[in-house]
Amino acid sequence: MDLNILNQAPQAELLAQLGGLYEHSPWIVEQALPRRPFASLAAFKRACAEVLAVASREAQLGLIRAHPELAGKAMVAGALTAESTGEQARAGLTHCSPAEFDTLQRLNADYNQRFGWPFILAVRGPRGTGLTRHQIIETFERRLHAHAEDEFHECLRQIHRIAELRLAEKFHETLPAGEQVWDWAEALARHSDAPDALTVTYLTPAHRACAQDLQDWMGAAGFDECSLDAVGNVVGVYYGQDRSAPRVLTGSHYDTVRNGGRYDGRLGILAPMALVQRWAAKGWRPRHGLEVVGFAEEEGQRFPATFLASSALVGRFEPAWLEQQDADGVTLRDAMQAAGLPGTLESIQALRREPARYLGFVEIHIEQGPVLDAMNLPLGVVSSINGSHRYTGEVLGVASHAGTTPMGAARRDAAVAVAELVLQVERIAAALPEAVGTVGQLEVPGGSINVVPGRCRFSLDLRAPRDAVRDRLRDEVLQALDANCQRRGLQYTLRPTLSADAAPSHPDWMARWEAAVAALGLPVFRLPSGAGHDAMKMHELLPQAMLFVRGGNAGISHNPLETITAHDAQLAVDALQQLLENL
């Protein structure tokens, strides 16, 4: 099949060929086809997703229940559809050991008892080559404990992924860039500071091994220049047709949080690398050259100098950072020199980019949140990176006997005041556009079950995509804290720990991302970034805009469960190509 057939063949003929995309449920394709013509397979998949999204709960549940159990009775009896037979066989479920088979039967029974429908998993996995039986069982056991509503929607998302893989087979769809990105990310993840988790912190042996891999891969991909700079950034340059024309700067970070995921940051390095590989293979060059930076540090895990690498490029590297120490007492300067870097302020200051040499900065990043996954959208255009205010605080009351101190005005309960504040933060943030507020730390020092808390420590994390909203959130929350303490006869202290301005996307560059997404046949969806990114620092020097890629597993990030599909990675590379070639 091809796109012309999809758009032009009689509906009855297409239903015969595509009716098996959704298990025993041809009505989804039947209702999507009247939306023809489709600009791409992605557009057709989106139409199917929209049909299912507006279907009744009963119809959605019927679709879930139409799927067979994994290694269940239908498989044993040979009663699976041709599509399900192939998928379960490729995952090795037809060759389970007795212990694995018994485990799957138990999980099937427990899952059905808990939720009332069969467990749904795209067993061909995010790359399409198949999950192992161990991975399938591990996922089964994890999801068995999910909230019922969350699991219902996860089953629907898994069904769409199954349909996507089935459609790819019918169209003989290839994903060379997406699979290359996925494979690079897997290979890079073999380097870690920890033996049992992905942890890569600044200038450790694992970090330096990652930098070497990136340099090697850039060279093999066809970059004209590839180097390691004075802070450990990996920099690759692909010349444009006019070498005197300003370049486009892109990239992200290759360090990780402790026990992190494979795509946070790294996706934004690997996607442009795959695009350069595509261009170089064809001997093609854009008018404007492309400079890709693998930022050496963004997470602040080893040294507290967060955004150390991108700060150097915008001329904001703080001299005092060189004397910061890690947990072992090693200074940043010494760590740099031990890694073969100069470790001098002069060499770092020389990294500042001259704005006139660049058109702007773009960054591809995994969303690190649930929005795109919940909406079944592979790509989203970032409207702004949230600004934030952070505080640590302590409310001071009077510790007293829990049994003998009457309720009411006689109590000076510090914890109750903070508990009240937690709810107020939730209410105030929910009432402001796109604002978020979190009390992530609560502690009653020396607390006891039979003592009215005399002290309560807490944190505040307040964010919004516009500084005016961020500041209003701060003002209202601090007013609430003050009012709580005055009313209850308490004192408090508050210490600011961070204040970062929002980084709104440049309108022209955001429009370019939107045009690129639309050219792929996808709806354009804008969303703010709640997390900070290197683009936030580059915003201080150049116009910037970001593209988000959907994360699976409900968008979880900073977690080993962080994942993307090769299909979505391919779309990200294609969107970047559209953006750069249309300049």
Side-chain angles (χ1 to χ4, degrees):
M1 295 186 71
D2 60 29
L3 197 60
N4 287 330
I5 292 174
L6 179 63
N7 283 327
Q8 297 172 13
Q11 180 158 319
E13 179 182 322
L14 288 172
L15 281 175
Q17 294 182 331
L18 300 177
L21 292 186
Y22 290 90
E23 194 84 356
H24 299 296
S25 304
W27 58 270
I28 299 171
V29 172
E30 185 176 14
Q31 292 182 35
L33 286 176
R35 305 185 187 195
R36 294 188 289 179
F38 300 110
S40 63
L41 277 183
F44 172 62
K45 288 182 283 189
R46 179 61 193 169
C48 291
E50 290 174 349
V51 167
L52 186 54
V54 299
S56 67
R57 177 81 174 204
E58 182 181 0
Q60 293 173 341
L61 185 57
L63 171 64
I64 294 174
R65 287 175 172 162
H67 283 72
E69 293 180 337
L70 297 183
K73 295 177 182 178
M75 187 194 78
V76 174
L80 298 176
T81 62
E83 291 86 357
S84 288
T85 298
E87 288 156 359
Q88 294 209 24
R90 249 182 291 191
L93 295 176
T94 52
H95 296 86
C96 290
S97 68
E100 288 170 335
F101 186 77
D102 289 346
T103 298
L104 284 167
Q105 299 315 299
R106 173 181 57 79
L107 289 169
N108 279 325
D110 291 348
Y111 188 94
N112 269 288
Q113 183 176 8
R114 174 166 166 73
F115 297 112
W117 59 76
F119 174 72
I120 311 295
L121 178 66
V123 294
R124 287 179 58 191
R127 194 190 187 281
T129 49
L131 300 173
T132 65
R133 292 193 293 276
H134 173 75
Q135 289 172 319
I136 291 169
I137 291 171
E138 189 177 64
T139 304
F140 208 151
E141 290 174 333
R142 172 175 57 82
R143 285 175 47 191
L144 181 61
H145 304 288
H147 186 279
E149 193 64 18
D150 293 342
E151 186 60 15
F152 181 86
H153 291 288
E154 181 61 24
C155 285
L156 294 180
R157 288 192 289 270
Q158 291 292 330
I159 287 169
H160 283 304
R161 175 60 179 158
I162 292 168
E164 179 172 62
L165 290 163
R166 292 176 177 180
L167 186 69
E169 283 198 336
K170 292 181 181 295
F171 278 75
H172 298 288
E173 185 182 22
T174 60
L175 308 167
E179 290 175 354
Q180 179 66 86
V181 167
W182 205 90
D183 291 343
W184 275 333
E186 286 295 301
L188 208 60
R190 75 188 189 279
H191 305 301
S192 178
D193 301 343
D196 56 351
L198 179 56
T199 301
V200 177
T201 59
Y202 187 53
L203 297 182
T204 60
H207 185 271
R208 292 157 65 184
C210 288
Q212 188 61 58
D213 274 356
L214 291 173
Q215 291 178 83
D216 293 344
W217 296 339
M218 283 183 177
F223 281 80
D224 298 297
E225 297 177 17
C226 183
S227 61
L228 191 73
D229 73 15
V231 294
N233 294 327
V234 179
V235 182
V237 178
Y238 188 70
Y239 299 148
Q241 298 168 18
D242 179 359
R243 293 197 191 183
S244 66
R247 297 171 181 166
V248 174
L249 191 61
T250 188
S252 194
H253 61 97
Y254 63 91
D255 67 323
T256 75
V257 296
R258 302 181 192 280
N259 197 24
R262 289 166 162 78
Y263 303 96
D264 175 12
R266 296 174 174 194
L267 177 61
I269 308 167
L270 303 177
M273 283 171 52
L275 176 57
V276 168
Q277 185 177 61
R278 177 187 293 175
W279 282 339
K282 297 189 299 182
W284 189 88
R285 294 185 182 276
R287 177 172 183 270
H288 297 275
L290 182 66
E291 183 175 326
V292 181
V293 180
F295 290 106
E297 193 285 330
E298 189 252 24
E299 299 288 5
Q301 296 290 296
R302 182 178 179 187
F303 298 95
T306 309
F307 296 116
L308 176 158
S310 49
S311 293
L313 266 61
V314 301
R316 298 291 180 88
F317 186 93
E318 296 291 336
W321 289 349
L322 288 171
E323 308 308 324
Q324 288 183 343
Q325 295 182 356
D326 67 8
D328 296 320
V330 178
T331 67
L332 178 57
R333 185 194 308 277
D334 289 343
M336 286 179 164
Q337 292 176 346
L341 305 177
T344 65
L345 186 60
E346 294 75 21
S347 64
I348 296 170
Q349 290 175 333
L351 300 180
R352 183 185 184 276
R353 297 306 195 260
E354 189 59 46
R357 294 184 55 208
Y358 297 91
L359 292 176
F361 178 82
V362 294
E363 181 174 356
I364 294 172
H365 206 283
I366 190 170
E367 182 201 347
Q368 298 184 273
V371 176
L372 294 177
D373 195 44
M375 297 182 68
N376 249 302
L377 283 172
L379 303 176
V381 179
V382 177
S383 55
S384 179
I385 304 171
N386 279 3
S388 61
H389 290 302
R390 293 182 189 174
Y391 300 87
T392 57
E394 184 173 24
V395 171
L396 304 172
V398 177
S400 58
H401 196 293
T404 61
T405 309
M407 302 302 292
R411 288 195 173 213
R412 299 289 182 262
D413 190 327
V416 171
V418 179
E420 189 174 11
L421 180 68
V422 172
L423 296 176
Q424 290 167 326
V425 168
E426 181 183 53
R427 175 182 54 77
I428 294 167
L432 295 173
E434 298 181 312
V436 290
T438 305
V439 178
Q441 295 176 323
L442 282 171
E443 178 193 4
V444 176
S448 179
I449 194 169
N450 59 351
V451 176
V452 175
R455 298 163 63 199
C456 187
R457 295 173 182 157
F458 63 96
S459 64
L460 287 173
D461 186 316
L462 311 172
R463 309 189 192 200
R466 289 185 292 124
D467 289 340
V469 177
R470 173 203 61 176
D471 292 347
R472 180 178 171 188
L473 174 62
R474 172 202 60 196
D475 293 346
E476 292 190 19
V477 166
L478 298 192
Q479 287 169 10
L481 171 63
D482 188 71
N484 291 350
C485 291
Q486 286 199 35
R487 188 176 65 257
R488 295 178 178 275
L490 307 169
Q491 304 294 316
Y492 68 89
T493 60
L494 200 62
R495 183 173 71 88
T497 59
L498 174 73
S499 181
D501 291 342
S505 298
H506 191 280
D508 293 344
W509 286 95
M510 188 164 61
R512 291 183 178 112
W513 274 128
E514 290 173 346
V517 170
L520 301 179
L522 292 168
V524 173
F525 178 73
R526 293 183 179 182
L527 71 166
S529 171
H533 302 286
D534 290 297
M536 201 170 192
K537 292 303 295 183
M538 300 309 297
H539 177 82
E540 299 174 14
L541 190 75
L542 297 170
Q544 64 80 26
M546 295 184 68
L547 180 74
F548 271 169
V549 179
R550 161 177 53 189
N553 292 326
I556 195 168
S557 187
H558 284 184
N559 186 297
L561 294 175
E562 178 182 277
T563 187
I564 62 169
T565 67
H567 275 86
D568 288 359
Q570 180 77 34
L571 287 171
V573 175
D574 291 346
L576 181 63
Q577 180 177 2
Q578 287 280 342
L579 180 145
L580 295 173
E581 292 184 5
N582 287 337
L583 286 173

